[in-house]
């Protein structure tokens, strides 16, 4: 996915104060980080703010990245994940008191699952339907515990190796595999319940 | 999960292989045993089906597009490089500006008007000059009469102390007269007939009033604010270039950074402000 040599060179230049190199890093990773944040937080607005926070953190700690200790991508993912954990802890109370608040998203996640399905019935367009199925999955993902959710996002959306996920999450590899298994199964059960409920 | 052995495989063993089986990395031998166990075990069979379905659900999720301003905002908050590039291109980050725009857009547009900027710059210049001449402390500012006529009075009453400031004072008057000329020169270029009438009235005041300078200077900042507030979306490029030219002639950049600030801001941002207002 990334040429390690090239990335290491860019990082070295950025650490040395080359603003073009830093810009390169932002362009290379903003999409990935935004997607992780979006799928984890469930909200486009949160993802926007969180991604900016992640890059501020990366910018400030870039010199502490050790080229020999692992891929830059894994390091970036670790920072992202740590910030997401902090964000989750901060907003946990809000989620408990207002579980219906899904925020705004790129996929109309302000609508309820039922609304989505009813809408999909009204809009026969294939693309529209696909989009709404994706929205259902996105909302289903939000119903998983954060431990299962983050493991699924990194594995199935970011295509990360489970060994790298273990580094990013600081848990044993067996735990990563187990969380991914449980997360996938749980998601399927959540979605199957949703479909049964509405149809 | 029931700890049973089905088809030569323990349920715990099955679970340990589940990830690799779905990942497609399980060797043929263990895969056969795995499948046999899934078919025979009431607990592991559905678990495998669910995990497999869950993976397919996840993979159906497409990558979402980050907001257009994301990279810009990141760079603005870190290296700050993109800010300068965006200013040159007349782009502003939409979300960060959005919250204050409905509230302050009108006032802000007025403040950015070149003439208002010039008035403020001149007022600031006058004030700092008076303060330095009379040795007034900041907390005494409220007591100081800032009218140009008062400045003249103060000048004569403190002549003994201010001989060394004489050149500064002369420079001030030179600038003031040039600015007045500049304002006059700008008047015909203005759009609305309402404004023209107003300026005509002001000139009339200037000739009839006993204290012309006072009225003119004070009205410039105060009275003109009202029509401009209502008319803020009207960009007057003539004014901008005239003021820019005037600023250069006066060399105000060397004297007072504020005037340069106002001119620059007006030059780079009037179009985007107008655009934003029209969208709003
Ligand atoms: Zn079993």
């Amino acid at each position: 996915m990334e040429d390690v040599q090239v990335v290491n060179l860019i990082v070295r230049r950025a650490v040395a104060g080359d603003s073009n190199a830093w810009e390169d890093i932002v362009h290379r990773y903003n999409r990935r980080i935004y997607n992780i944040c979006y799928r984890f937080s469930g909200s486009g607005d949160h993802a926007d703010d969180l991604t900016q926070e992640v890059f501020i953190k990366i910018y400030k700690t870039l010199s502490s990245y050790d080229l020999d200790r692992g891929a830059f991508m894994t390091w970036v993912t670790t920072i992202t994940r740590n910030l997401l954990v902090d964000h989750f802890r901060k907003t946990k109370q809000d989620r408990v008191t207002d579980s219906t608040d899904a925020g705004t998203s790129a996929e109309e996640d302000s609508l309820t699952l039922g609304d989505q399905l009813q809408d999909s019935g009204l809009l026969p367009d294939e693309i529209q339907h696909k989009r709404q199925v994706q929205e259902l999955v996105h909302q289903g993902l939000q119903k998983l515990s954060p431990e299962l959710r983050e493991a699924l996002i990194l594995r199935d959306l970011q295509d990360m190796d489970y060994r790298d996920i273990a580094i990013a999450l600081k848990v044993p590899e067996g735990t990563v595999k187990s969380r991914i298994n449980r997360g996938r199964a749980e998601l399927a059960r959540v979605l199957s319940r949703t479909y049964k409920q509405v149809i | 999960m029931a700890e049973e052995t089905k088809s030569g495989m323990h349920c715990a063993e099955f679970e340990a292989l589940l990830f690799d089986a779905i990942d497609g990395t399980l060797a043929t031998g263990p895969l056969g045993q795995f499948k046999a166990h899934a078919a025979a075990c009431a607990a592991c069979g559905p678990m495998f089906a669910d995990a497999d379905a869950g993976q397919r659900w996840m993979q159906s999720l497409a990558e979402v597009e980050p907001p257009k301003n994301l990279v810009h905002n990141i760079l603005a908050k870190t290296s700050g490089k993109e800010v300068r590039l965006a200013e040159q291109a007349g782009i502003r980050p939409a979300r960060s500006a959005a919250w204050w725009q409905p509230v302050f857009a009108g006032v802000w547009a007025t403040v950015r008007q070149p003439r208002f900027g010039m008035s403020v710059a001149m007022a600031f210049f006058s004030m700092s000059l008076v303060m330095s001449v009379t040795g007034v402390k900041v907390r005494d500012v409220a007591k100081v009469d800032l009218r140009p006529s008062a400045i003249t009075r103060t000048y004569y009453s403190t002549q003994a102390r201010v001989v060394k400031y004489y050149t500064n004072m002369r420079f001030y008057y030179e600038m003031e007269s040039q600015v007045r000329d500049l304002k006059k020169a700008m008047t015909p270029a203005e759009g609305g007939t309402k404004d023209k009438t107003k300026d005509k009235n002001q000139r009339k005041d200037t000739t009839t009033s006993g204290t012309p300078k006072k009225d003119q200077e004070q009205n410039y900042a105060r009275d003109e604010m009202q029509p401009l507030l209502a008319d803020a979306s009207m960009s007057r490029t003539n004014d901008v270039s005239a003021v820019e030219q005037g600023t250069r002639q006066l060399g105000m950049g060397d004297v007072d950074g504020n005037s340069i600030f106002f001119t620059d801001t007006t030059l780079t941002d009037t179009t985007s402000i107008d655009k934003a207002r029209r969208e709003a």
Side-chain angles (χ1 to χ4, degrees):
Chain A
M1 200 162 176
E2 58 177 356
D3 188 339
V4 178
Q5 303 287 341
V6 172
V7 169
N8 285 354
L9 186 68
I10 294 166
V11 171
R12 252 196 295 259
R13 276 171 45 213
V15 170
D18 182 341
S19 63
N20 288 327
W22 169 246
E23 212 175 318
D24 197 350
I25 290 171
V26 175
H27 279 287
R28 273 171 187 258
Y29 296 100
N30 79 88
R31 201 181 174 85
R32 174 189 172 84
I33 293 172
Y34 177 82
N35 270 271
I36 295 174
C37 293
Y38 174 64
R39 294 302 180 193
F40 186 86
S41 71
S43 142
D45 286 348
H46 281 155
D48 193 353
D49 294 341
L50 284 163
T51 307
Q52 292 183 42
E53 267 185 64
V54 169
F55 273 103
I56 291 168
K57 183 89 177 170
I58 293 173
Y59 188 73
K60 285 178 179 168
T61 56
L62 196 60
S63 57
S64 72
Y65 166 63
D66 186 351
L67 298 175
D68 303 322
R69 282 188 63 190
F72 184 66
M73 177 91 89
T74 310
W75 186 74
V76 164
T77 308
T78 308
I79 290 177
T80 307
R81 186 263 172 178
N82 291 345
L83 262 157
L84 286 173
V85 170
D86 289 345
H87 170 76
F88 178 78
R89 284 190 191 130
K90 271 185 239 166
T91 56
K92 203 176 176 182
Q93 209 54 45
D94 304 332
R95 281 165 191 265
V96 170
T97 52
D98 188 9
S99 57
T100 55
D101 178 27
T104 55
S105 81
E107 295 164 350
E108 300 175 356
D109 65 1
S110 57
L111 296 172
T112 65
L113 291 173
D115 289 338
Q116 294 280 324
L117 277 181
Q118 274 168 6
D119 281 0
S120 73
L122 291 169
L123 296 159
D125 180 44
E126 200 57 39
I127 296 162
Q128 187 71 13
H129 177 75
K130 199 178 165 188
R131 211 173 70 104
Q132 295 191 340
V133 168
Q134 286 195 27
E135 180 51 31
L136 285 175
V137 178
H138 178 72
Q139 286 193 31
L141 190 58
Q142 306 311 309
K143 291 184 165 49
L144 304 188
S145 73
E147 288 81 12
L148 302 187
R149 188 159 70 233
E150 65 183 3
L152 278 204
I153 291 167
L154 297 183
R155 174 65 207 148
D156 288 336
L157 299 183
Q158 299 303 321
D159 208 29
M160 255 176 105
D161 191 281
Y162 71 91
R163 282 161 291 215
D164 290 334
I165 298 174
I167 294 168
L169 304 186
K170 294 186 183 72
V171 293
E173 290 173 6
T175 307
V176 171
K177 285 185 175 182
S178 165
R179 283 183 187 176
I180 291 167
N181 289 337
R182 277 157 51 212
R184 285 169 174 167
E186 181 72 20
L187 178 69
R189 284 194 284 267
V190 164
L191 291 173
S192 120
R193 271 202 300 274
T194 308
Y195 275 118
K196 271 179 198 154
Q197 207 177 59
V198 182
I199 297 168
Chain B
M1 191 184 298
E3 294 297 315
E4 288 179 67
T5 304
K6 294 258 167 67
S7 312
M9 186 180 271
H10 203 263
C11 287
E13 217 182 330
F14 178 90
E15 203 188 344
L17 295 175
L18 181 57
F19 178 87
D20 294 331
I22 292 175
D23 226 31
T25 54
L26 202 58
T28 324
L31 187 64
Q33 275 189 314
F34 179 89
K35 280 180 174 171
H37 183 96
C41 182
C44 297
M47 187 172 74
F48 171 69
D50 282 346
D52 190 45
Q55 191 219 25
R56 277 185 275 116
W57 281 121
M58 282 302 287
Q59 287 176 342
S60 77
L61 285 177
E63 202 173 50
V64 293
E65 206 59 44
K68 283 187 188 108
N69 284 317
L70 182 62
V71 169
H72 167 272
N73 289 340
I74 291 166
L75 292 175
K77 284 182 178 177
T78 51
S79 62
K81 188 186 174 186
E82 195 76 4
V83 182
R84 293 193 295 274
L85 290 172
E87 275 172 1
Q88 281 162 17
I91 306 163
R92 285 179 307 122
R95 276 195 63 228
S96 60
W99 65 271
W100 58 263
Q101 234 165 26
V103 188
F104 294 116
V107 180
W108 187 233
T110 306
V111 170
R112 281 165 181 245
Q113 285 293 324
R115 286 179 304 164
F116 186 86
M118 290 294 277
S119 301
V120 171
M122 286 313 298
F124 180 78
F125 186 70
S126 309
M127 199 170 78
S128 53
L129 218 108
V130 170
M131 283 170 74
S132 61
V133 164
T134 57
V136 175
K137 290 178 181 115
V138 176
R139 63 170 176 272
D140 293 325
V141 161
K143 297 171 194 166
V144 181
D145 196 343
L146 294 174
R147 291 170 302 167
S149 60
I151 294 170
T152 317
R153 254 200 329 272
T154 315
Y155 175 67
Y156 285 115
S157 64
T158 55
Q159 206 173 10
R161 277 197 287 150
V162 300
V163 173
K164 60 181 174 178
Y165 289 110
Y166 176 71
T167 19
N168 284 350
M169 211 59 188
R170 206 176 64 178
F171 178 58
Y172 163 65
Y173 281 118
E174 274 172 19
M175 276 181 68
E176 194 190 43
S177 66
Q178 283 197 54
V179 168
R180 213 183 299 120
D181 292 343
L182 180 64
K183 284 171 183 169
K184 277 180 194 166
M186 276 157 55
T187 310
E190 280 164 14
T193 46
K194 204 174 156 189
D195 281 2
K196 274 180 187 167
T197 325
K198 197 157 198 69
D199 287 333
K200 224 179 269 172
N201 290 339
Q202 275 177 354
R203 272 202 296 276
K204 208 172 136 194
D205 284 350
T206 309
T207 49
T208 53
S209 170
T211 52
K213 277 183 181 175
K214 174 182 79 177
D215 288 341
Q216 196 183 22
E217 283 304 312
Q218 286 186 338
N219 287 343
Y220 230 90
R222 193 186 57 211
D223 288 348
E224 296 220 344
M225 221 171 142
Q226 309 309 324
L228 283 171
L229 265 173
D231 196 29
S233 63
M234 299 270 291
S235 175
R236 297 188 185 88
T237 42
N238 288 345
D239 284 21
V240 175
S241 53
V243 170
E244 187 200 26
Q245 206 180 6
T247 310
R248 263 196 236 112
Q249 282 170 358
L250 293 168
M252 283 179 75
D254 303 326
V255 180
D256 185 353
N258 280 339
S259 57
I260 287 298
F261 166 75
F262 277 103
T263 315
D264 277 358
T265 315
T266 313
L267 280 170
T268 51
D269 281 337
T270 37
T271 40
S272 53
I273 283 273
D274 290 343
K275 200 178 160 195
R277 284 183 58 84
R278 253 180 270 119
E279 280 163 7

